[in-house]
Amino acid sequence: MRKKTQSKREEIVAIARAAFLDGGYSATSMASIAALVGGSKGTLYGYFSSKEELFGAVVRDVSEEHGLPVLALLDDPQADLAETIFALARALTRFFVMPEAIAHYRLAVGESGRFPKLGQIFFEQGQKEGEDMVTAWLEERIARGQLAARPPRLLAQQFVALCRAGPWNALLMGAPEQPGEAQLEELATLAAQTFLAAHARPHPE
């Protein structure tokens, strides 16, 4: 029964994910999602108590599918600092320009003025979770003396900002063309080099 319930929950989240992206948050009702699922609103509310909770599940679903594999690069505590920074920069630059990532960011920002809690959900269950993991990793590297002793959360935010430079803002505003592989590689390399030049400590002789 638990397996069947989990399968149904995943089906609801997948349908809601497509519905929110297609129609926006405000224009997508629980009734319309229930109709797409093929059940009653009562069944839908049995899984999610509100549209906000369902949106949070969608944000987490997107993060787990696309974000967590990126952050898995931080799992090896013995990995070389520079190699990890370069690999993370490559992964993040590609993640940020994914059409679905752009669409979800645009959705959250566009609707959060009318629905402030929506923006909070997007931040807490998506962006902040990733930021927390990068912050913890940087904090450990600071403790080892590999990075300068600076606020680790600020370093994490700065690193993400470097990886978002270039085509991300244009795509957010509706630019039709995706950046090519060479452009993304150049962006990632420059982001990693800039971050390491500013914050990495030289190896002791």
Side-chain angles (χ1 to χ4, degrees), residues 116-167:
K117 194 170 181 180
L118 189 71
Q120 295 171 17
I121 291 171
F122 182 82
F123 178 72
E124 293 290 336
Q125 299 196 34
Q127 182 177 333
K128 186 176 183 297
E129 184 171 322
E131 184 181 291
D132 287 345
M133 293 174 69
V134 176
T135 297
W137 184 80
L138 291 172
E139 189 171 25
E140 185 203 3
R141 296 297 175 135
I142 290 169
R144 290 193 207 178
Q146 296 177 346
L147 292 169
R150 291 169 182 148
R153 185 166 298 277
L154 184 58
L155 293 188
Q157 293 168 345
Q158 187 180 79
F159 181 69
V160 168
L162 288 168
C163 293
R164 275 185 174 158

Side-chain angles (χ1 to χ4, degrees), residues 161-176:
L162 288 168
C163 293
R164 275 185 174 158
W168 179 77
N169 191 60
L171 290 170
L172 195 64
M173 298 299 140

